[in-house]
Amino acid sequence: MNVVHRDLAARSCLVGPQLEIKICTLGTVINRIAYPADYCHLEGAGRQSQPMPIRWMAWESVLMGKFTSKSDVWAFAVTLWEILTFAREQPFENLSDEKVIENIGHMYQDNKKHMVLPIPVGCPREIFDLMCECWQRNENSRPNFREIHLFLQRKNLGYRPSASSF
């Protein structure tokens, strides 16, 4: 739909009674208050004064302030990682904000020293491979949401949540 969210994360998702998921933006300011550890103040010329969710953001968003549907694809993969870890840990939990920014710098420099999030326990390899595609340095190499949707639909063929799931 070419809508850029800029703060896609599990904390921005609402789960309905039939397990449908809605992405909201109304909670962004509330999220900064409720989840302060998820946001970091970035300093430097031209930086936005509001805290940013750097652990979910594509490198070009952090370093260049560039937000596109492809940077949201990056954040979607982090959100998928959160879901598959049952949101029991924060992305790059073992790194300080400064180390996360350093890691993002490695991605920018394309020096192959950057880290990606680890595969969640029990995550099918093809789902993790999808996440890694979403974390490609070159945004043109990342899938778009239509491609992600089609891939996940194929993986989900025939699945229907039972009433006891609710």
Side-chain angles (χ1 to χ4, degrees):
M1 296 174 72
N2 291 324
V3 173
V4 179
H5 189 278
R6 300 177 88 161
D7 191 8
L8 183 57
R11 65 181 171 272
S12 300
C13 298
L14 303 173
V15 182
Q18 299 297 313
L19 300 181
E20 68 273 2
I21 307 295
K22 305 233 179 194
I23 309 297
C24 68
T25 57
L26 297 174
T28 301
V29 173
I30 294 168
N31 282 341
R32 285 190 209 124
I33 295 165
Y35 303 97
D38 288 354
Y39 294 86
C40 171
H41 279 282
L42 298 176
E43 298 179 17
R47 292 279 187 205
Q48 298 175 359
S49 61
Q50 64 199 28
M52 304 297 284
I54 61 170
R55 295 166 190 276
W56 285 261
M57 292 168 62
W59 71 268
E60 68 270 12
S61 300
V62 175
L63 298 179
M64 299 168 21
K66 182 180 178 185
F67 293 89
T68 65
S69 62
K70 292 295 184 115
S71 60
D72 276 352
V73 162
W74 182 296
F76 167 79
V78 179
T79 304
L80 184 56
W81 180 89
E82 282 185 282
I83 292 166
L84 293 169
T85 61
F86 300 98
R88 289 190 177 130
E89 54 188 291
Q90 184 185 55
F92 299 109
E93 181 172 80
N94 58 333
L95 300 180
S96 66
D97 289 342
E98 293 76 20
K99 289 291 184 185
V100 170
I101 293 170
E102 182 180 313
N103 188 49
I104 290 166
H106 290 306
M107 176 67 82
Y108 168 72
Q109 294 164 4
D110 201 16
N111 61 15
K112 310 299 182 222
K113 293 182 181 177
H114 71 278
M115 295 180 282
V116 295
L117 292 166
I119 186 169
V121 174
C123 175
R125 186 70 210 187
E126 55 219 335
I127 298 297
F128 186 67
D129 290 344
L130 170 67
M131 289 188 271
C132 290
E133 283 184 50
C134 296
W135 296 325
Q136 290 293 310
R137 182 189 187 282
N138 181 344
E139 65 184 84
N140 293 326
S141 298
R142 298 174 201 156
N144 61 42
F145 279 111
R146 178 171 168 66
E147 293 167 325
I148 293 168
H149 183 250
L150 289 171
F151 174 83
L152 293 174
Q153 270 188 323
R154 284 192 303 272
K155 292 293 157 205
N156 201 31
L157 281 177
Y159 175 76
R160 296 280 179 258
S162 64
S164 62
S165 301
F166 306 139

